Amino acid sequence: MKRILLLEQKLDESTTAIQYAYRIAKRDGAEVLCLFLIPSSMTTADWIETQERVVGEDIKKAERIGMRIKQRFEDEGIRFSYRAIRFQPTIFMKELEASMPVDLVIAGRLTSPVEVADLGLGSIGDLGVRLNCPVIDAEAMQKSFEPISPRLWRRFILYGIGSALMYFVFFPNIKHLNKFYMGGGILAGLAIMVTVAVHAWVYGSTTECLPKFIRMDKD
Amino acid sequence: MHGEVVTEIIDKMGIVTQIFGNHPHYMLVMVLIGFIGGTLSGFIGSGGAFFMTPAMMNLGVPGVMAVAANITHKFGKAMMGQKKHGEMGHVDKKLGIILLITALAGIRVAVVVNGWFFEHMGKAGSSLYVSVVFCVTLSIIGVFMLRDALRSRRPGASGPSDRFVKMARKFQIKPLVYFKVANVRISLIVMIVIGFLIGYMAGTIGVGGFIGVPAMIYIFGVPTVVAAGTELFLAMFMGAFGAFNYGVEGYVDLRLTLLLYAGSLVGIFVGAIGTKLVKELYIRMVTALLILLCVVSRALAVPQYLGELKWVSFTQHVASLCELGSKLFLFGSGVTSTAIILYLVFRVHLREQRLFRLYRPEAMPVASIRR
């Protein structure tokens, strides 16, 4: 591997993405190009001056951090270059194209602005398709190798028992309960709302755990 | 050619008992319907109701009870779905709340109208009304969305069509309201009208998202994922209000709702997570194709209701063919599109897992960057 592109929105010297970029570059003898993405939104004219000041300060901070990271990488024999850019659609796309070709993209925690989402880049997967190279979400990768927490297991079991009770006790008696629920009136309407809300919460809290067990949901 | 209007003394509680008594396997079918609806709902922000309402009607549930069960189910499903989308930053609550206020008025009007058809024209009349509104509305939306999705595949084109957004901006009637998460500015008057229509559709055919999501994307200019998440936020409150209203009128049979939940609350999380993994264009294409196939399905069911109302007479053979065609199109489209979504989601997930295994930290040299 020759070239890694690192996309980072968080202005910190030791983010997960930077750590991974270092390790992979060290292993494969690759160089690293880092784009610090500075969010900015120019939608409200009244705030332009304030936003320009804030963006300017963030760009300077990113450049200071980039300088320090560059020093540390080059101490370990890894070529490192960086740029701080505004996270706006045209600028972002222009910088991505100028950075090509790369062999791997490592993304830190990116909050994709809605403008970029409108370019069809709403997710990491979209970025990989557009750039035609693998893209790794660094934090997602870190989370996917963490063990499943006991708290998740407890939640699954507790709500699972509640769900089982709702289906196997409540449901068989529904014909009798329907005499009240389908009798009409405000009380019946309110009772239906409460029943479905409780059931959805209990059963939904059980099923919510399933994608986490197979690492599809990393939140 | 119009026959007598058939007025039936309806035992609402007995209808579902009879359906499940004659076809016990329909309970499993209901769970599958829920799973398909939930997956679609989480993935495209809507699509649950436009599939689930006609699917239940295909099993013999009267139109008004199918809508009642679905809108009640929508409440809890949307509550869990928007929770997930909210965690991903896809919900513009301010936009949702403003649309909600007028949507509630629309729902109330729809409940009254729907109930009138059921009480005065019976099960067949109610189902005919729901089917006609369904076909007319969703065929327009489906054709537009499909054309737009196909246009987006051309090189240089990306994102949804902004033709209506530009038109709407020419007629921006003040006051204008800015929405931060969606990053758009919208006329309050336009929002009131669209909100009322969303509510009326939700109350009539149990479908709000397929008015709301395209309206947000193509008229307001909201990004697709924010439209999907915000619609679920809106659907939660609309579902609660719809559940209450239909519950007051006595049309909600909780057996239907609980069976829908059994499947939908599994599918909705897979679908919601899929929006982070799968390309946005695929979301729109699946949505458009599915809408159009469901419209065909509903249209094929109309002859049956016309026959039951004695407005038109068909031979038994024609009636059976139409009924079979309706079922095939509906379940075929639902199963196929859910299978496509699951394939896309799991393909990306497995690819991601392979990539992670290739670059996992344990495989790296021990030395790490030092401060």
Side-chain angles (χ1 to χ4, degrees), chain B residues 212-253:
Chain B
V213 172
M216 279 191 262
I217 295 170
Y218 295 105
I219 298 177
F220 299 160
V222 174
T224 306
V225 288
V226 176
T230 305
E231 170 55 32
L232 281 173
F233 175 78
L234 187 60
M236 182 174 67
F237 293 100
M238 282 167 45
F241 189 66
F244 175 73
N245 275 272
Y246 275 109
V248 165
E249 304 295 330
Y251 289 118
V252 178
D253 191 318

Side-chain angles (χ1 to χ4, degrees), chain B residues 5-18:
Chain B
V5 170
V6 178
T7 305
E8 300 165 33
I9 298 172
I10 308 289
D11 174 11
K12 287 178 273 193
M13 284 183 239
I15 291 173
V16 173
T17 305
Q18 191 180 30

Side-chain angles (χ1 to χ4, degrees), chain A residues 14 19-20 43 72 76 114 123 126 136 144 167 174 178 182 184-185 203 207-208 214 216-218, chain B residues 83-84 181 183 248 252-253 255 258 261-262 265 269 276 279 346 349 352 356 359 361 369-371:
Chain A
S14 53
Q19 295 277 350
Y20 283 165
T43 53
R72 292 191 177 103
E76 300 287 337
V114 292
S123 71
D126 294 336
I136 293 176
S144 74
Y167 277 105
I174 194 69
N178 260 351
M182 294 188 79
Y203 183 61
T207 56
E208 193 180 27
I214 61 171
M216 190 180 277
D217 181 4
K218 297 159 192 82
Chain B
K83 180 171 164 281
K84 190 70 219 158
V181 175
N183 195 27
V248 165
V252 178
D253 191 318
R255 281 173 290 188
L258 294 186
Y261 274 139
L265 291 178
F269 293 115
K276 280 173 80 173
K279 200 167 167 54
F346 279 96
H349 171 64
E352 185 186 63
F356 288 172
Y359 293 107
I369 185 169
R370 295 183 294 275
R371 296 185 77 97

Side-chain angles (χ1 to χ4, degrees), chain B residues 251-292:
Chain B
Y251 289 118
V252 178
D253 191 318
L254 279 179
R255 281 173 290 188
L256 300 175
T257 306
L258 294 186
L259 285 170
L260 288 175
Y261 274 139
S264 71
L265 291 178
V266 175
I268 196 159
F269 293 115
V270 175
I273 290 161
T275 61
K276 280 173 80 173
L277 302 176
V278 176
K279 200 167 167 54
E280 185 251 356
L281 172 62
Y282 292 140
I283 300 175
R284 284 190 284 129
M285 284 198 72
V286 166
T287 306
L289 285 169
L290 189 50
I291 292 173
L292 291 172

Side-chain angles (χ1 to χ4, degrees), chain B residues 6 64 130 150 287 314:
Chain B
V6 178
V64 66
V130 170
L150 290 172
T287 306
F314 292 97

